[in-house]
Amino acid sequence: MKTFKLITLQLAEDGDFLELPIKDGLIINKEDEHHTWLAEAFLDGEHYDYFRDLQENPEDLDVQVVITHPANDPAFFSMHIQCIKKMDGDISVLLEGHLKKPRSEYAELLLGDLMERGYSGDELLHEFKEKMISKPKIPKKVKQ
């Protein structure tokens, strides 16, 4: 197994990704025969009902995370909520799932999104360079 620091956690919602303000977190590549990943996020307790509602839905969640360093490309997962625990006013959420898209596809997703927004030429190049550094969330509709 390999363990990494979880920097950001975003869940697909209404055709976009909702970024949740995590206090701390980690993500584990179990390196098993099923290519399973576990993610644990520590969040403010006000998000308990939101996650409880998501947990009751049998469908997997589209999850986008940044691992180890804020400048890294996001990784896309299909996950489900295994467990939610209340802890002194905060919550711990444990998710389990599988990697959907290799991180290297982020540039293609970003470029497609910028082109859909009407950027072209020098303006497209400028926006692309800027956003490859800032790593914004990419709307779900761009993913294939």
Side-chain angles (χ1 to χ4, degrees):
M1 285 197 269
K2 292 182 184 170
T3 303
F4 307 93
K5 177 142 178 78
L6 186 64
I7 303 297
T8 65
L9 173 67
Q10 300 172 354
L11 301 178
E13 185 174 282
D14 299 326
D16 202 354
F17 279 96
L18 170 68
E19 183 160 350
L20 294 151
I22 63 173
K23 294 182 174 189
D24 202 0
L26 57 89
I27 187 161
I28 300 169
N29 179 350
K30 290 178 67 175
E31 296 184 326
D32 62 8
E33 64 275 2
H34 304 291
H35 307 286
T36 308
W37 287 72
L38 295 172
E40 183 176 25
F42 189 63
L43 304 103
D44 189 277
E46 71 184 38
H47 300 288
Y48 180 82
D49 291 335
Y50 174 75
F51 280 102
R52 176 59 75 198
D53 290 344
L54 290 174
Q55 186 179 31
E56 291 174 1
N57 185 341
E59 294 189 24
D60 282 351
L61 304 167
D62 287 331
V63 178
Q64 177 174 293
V65 301
V66 172
I67 300 169
T68 306
H69 190 275
N72 286 344
D73 290 347
F76 300 92
F77 292 87
S78 178
M79 303 186 105
H80 58 276
I81 298 172
Q82 288 288 91
C83 180
I84 307 166
K85 295 205 179 210
K86 292 183 179 180
M87 303 166 55
D88 297 326
D90 292 317
I91 60 170
S92 170
V93 179
L94 180 66
L95 300 111
E96 181 179 49
H98 301 91
L99 190 62
K100 284 180 69 169
K101 296 208 176 265
R103 290 176 15 176
S104 62
E105 290 185 21
Y106 180 77
E108 285 181 31
L109 294 172
L110 175 61
L111 184 58
D113 181 55
L114 293 173
M115 290 170 64
E116 275 189 21
R117 294 176 187 224
Y119 289 100
S120 64
D122 289 341
E123 186 181 40
L124 174 63
L125 182 59
H126 172 75
E127 285 295 313
F128 180 77
K129 286 179 179 179
E130 183 178 294
K131 299 215 180 317
M132 280 300 291
I133 294 169
S134 66
K135 303 290 191 238
K137 57 188 174 186
I138 299 174
K140 183 179 177 185
K141 64 181 177 170
V142 176
K143 296 189 314 178
Q144 298 177 7

